[in-house]
Amino acid sequence: MALIDPFNRTINYLRVSITEKCNYKCSYCMPEEGAHPEGHHSEYLSFDELTKIIAAFVDLGITKVRITGGEPLVRKGVPEFVAQIHKLDGLQEIALSTNAHFLDKYAKDLKAAGLDRCNISIDTLKPKLFEHITRGGDLNKVLAGVDAGIAAGLKPMKFNCVVMQGTNDSEIEAMVDFGIKKSIEVRFIEIMPIGSAGISLMDQHYPMDKILARIKAHVGTDLIPTTEKSHAGPAKNFFIKGSNAKIGVISAVSQHFCEACNRVRLTSTGVLALCLGQEHSIDLRSPVREGVSHEELKDIIVKAMLKKPERHFFNENVHNIEFKQMVSLGG
Ligand code: SAM
Ligand code: SF4
């Protein structure tokens, strides 16, 4: 069975936030005081509850799950959770988005549990600037996490770099070189008007065409668009001509990629968010806690797909977007 939305898109990718907490407070993502005021512990889904929901999705044709947050590795028991969902028949890929601060500790266990790959956020290779952007992050720990992930075989690994005009746009070239050195694709992400700082972030928006022009000038050759479908998601991917090195650009603002959207998101409190840029969502926690059966849960999910909107409106609404809830994205 496949999950098809009203615009004939097949939904086969589920992003699951397992916590809103994070040990970092990146300026574009978290308020200075950290994650939102904590709800009561009981508001958050247990790993068993998350697995029950994921099992229903997998039965409905979801083949890829990405574990994200907040920072997923601040929650205890992630390898055990990965092992639990790895058993689900039909799930072909389990990926993780992480800031890699704790990855040196968990990489081996995660791989052994069935994690396939991970994406790591790094916005600069300058330790002081890294500390500034993440409000206290430790670049050395992250680089140790990268190496541990590579050694454990979490591949293909990708680096995510949010480009901020006047903050780290001068790091584009260094990040390209770092990716080439490590044989890892770097994906440059246009800042989006989400999270606590919302619209005020757009002062720092650095558009995709400028990013690509900078990279081209730096490598001194053309960028050849790749034809790959898998793993590409909303990124536009390119080979650096004459090499195997790849780079990607994710531009939700300059160009929306909604016509190819194949994903939905589950928050750590059990809200199923159907679109990144809008507030179409349904609550899955209540039915799970009321003891719905597997088949009933599948039915609720199939009906929820009817609410998936055609597209987001970052561009049109850029002056009035107000997000009440942190949404997890990128990856
Ligand atoms: N903590 C993990 C990490 O940093 O990779 C996973 C969660 S984080 C919210 C997922 C991705 O969202 C990261 O790559 C981050 O850079 C990106 N992100 C967060 N806020 C963003 C924003 N306002 N604009 C663009 N990307 C953003
Ligand atoms: Fe934490 Fe990731 Fe957000 Fe940075 S981007 S504050 S690491 S959740």
Side-chain angles (χ1 to χ4, degrees):
M1 184 166 182
L3 271 181
I4 314 258
D5 80 357
F7 305 96
N8 216 21
R9 295 171 296 197
T10 301
I11 310 303
N12 54 17
Y13 177 16
L14 176 67
R15 300 176 57 90
V16 180
S17 172
I18 60 169
T19 179
E20 303 310 316
K21 290 187 200 163
C22 185
N23 53 322
Y24 287 179
K25 288 170 265 177
C26 302
S27 53
Y28 48 76
C29 178
M30 292 272 176
E32 210 161 343
E33 64 278 12
H36 301 260
E38 288 303 309
H40 189 267
H41 182 69
S42 64
E43 288 179 24
Y44 298 93
L45 295 186
S46 68
F47 281 140
D48 285 346
E49 289 169 331
L50 285 168
T51 302
K52 177 168 179 167
I53 295 175
I54 295 169
F57 270 103
V58 171
D59 238 10
L60 287 166
I62 290 285
T63 54
K64 173 174 172 181
V65 166
R66 174 173 297 280
I67 301 167
T68 181
E71 172 47 42
L73 296 182
V74 300
R75 183 162 174 179
K76 287 207 174 69
V78 183
E80 292 77 4
F81 172 55
V82 170
Q84 217 169 318
I85 60 173
H86 184 60
K87 290 188 199 131
L88 298 173
D89 236 2
L91 184 56
Q92 293 167 12
E93 183 176 296
I94 307 174
L96 175 78
S97 285
T98 176
N99 62 28
H101 183 93
F102 299 110
L103 195 59
D104 56 343
K105 186 169 166 197
Y106 292 118
K108 262 191 180 167
D109 291 350
L110 287 167
K111 181 68 190 176
L115 184 72
D116 294 293
R117 46 185 303 264
C118 66
N119 288 355
I120 295 179
S121 294
I122 306 185
D123 301 331
T124 170
L125 294 164
K126 292 184 176 148
K128 278 277 165 225
L129 185 57
F130 186 85
E131 196 183 325
H132 171 74
I133 293 171
T134 55
R135 299 193 181 104
D138 179 350
L139 182 63
N140 281 330
K141 273 288 277 171
V142 169
L143 296 179
V146 168
D147 289 338
I150 295 171
L154 294 174
K155 64 181 181 190
M157 188 183 275
K158 289 179 187 172
F159 295 139
N160 284 337
C161 174
V162 176
V163 182
M164 290 159 279
Q165 164 107 42
T167 302
N168 69 337
D169 61 289
S170 57
E171 286 286 273
I172 292 173
E173 291 79 4
M175 285 301 302
V176 170
D177 291 344
F178 185 57
I180 294 173
K181 183 173 145 205
K182 296 274 179 195
S183 303
I184 290 172
E185 178 180 334
V186 183
R187 305 185 322 163
F188 295 96
I189 305 178
E190 281 184 357
I191 202 159
M192 290 181 246
I194 58 169
S196 58
I199 190 64
S200 67
L201 294 174
M202 296 318 284
D203 291 350
Q204 302 175 66
H205 182 245
Y206 197 89
M208 168 172 132
D209 46 0
K210 269 172 97 176
I211 298 173
L212 287 171
R214 287 268 299 274
I215 298 171
K216 252 172 139 168
H218 178 61
V219 296
T221 180
D222 276 343
L223 301 175
I224 314 292
T226 65
T227 50
E228 72 183 334
K229 285 267 180 288
S230 64
H231 300 309
K236 280 192 190 317
N237 290 343
F238 302 87
F239 280 113
I240 295 173
K241 196 176 172 186
S243 81
N244 286 331
K246 268 198 287 183
I247 59 120
V249 187
I250 300 181
S251 62
V253 177
S254 297
Q255 295 180 0
H256 68 81
F257 35 73
C258 308
E259 62 283 355
C261 183
N262 64 344
R263 60 199 58 194
V264 290
R265 299 169 171 79
L266 181 67
T267 72
S268 56
T269 55
V271 175
L272 179 64
L274 297 153
C275 174
L276 180 64
Q278 308 198 24
E279 289 182 319
H280 298 81
S281 62
I282 67 151
D283 166 39
L284 293 182
R285 182 180 62 196
S286 305
V288 164
R289 294 206 171 155
E290 282 155 14
V292 282
S293 69
H294 180 71
E295 291 305 320
E296 284 166 337
L297 190 53
K298 278 167 63 181
D299 217 41
I300 294 171
I301 293 169
V302 169
K303 289 199 179 105
M305 288 308 124
L306 299 175
K307 280 189 157 191
K308 189 162 167 61
E310 187 172 10
R311 51 172 295 206
H312 73 65
F313 292 93
F314 281 162
N315 274 335
E316 293 83 342
N317 289 354
V318 102
H319 296 295
N320 62 17
I321 287 175
E322 182 197 335
F323 276 84
K324 296 182 184 72
Q325 189 185 11
M326 189 75 73
V327 278
S328 44
L329 66 140

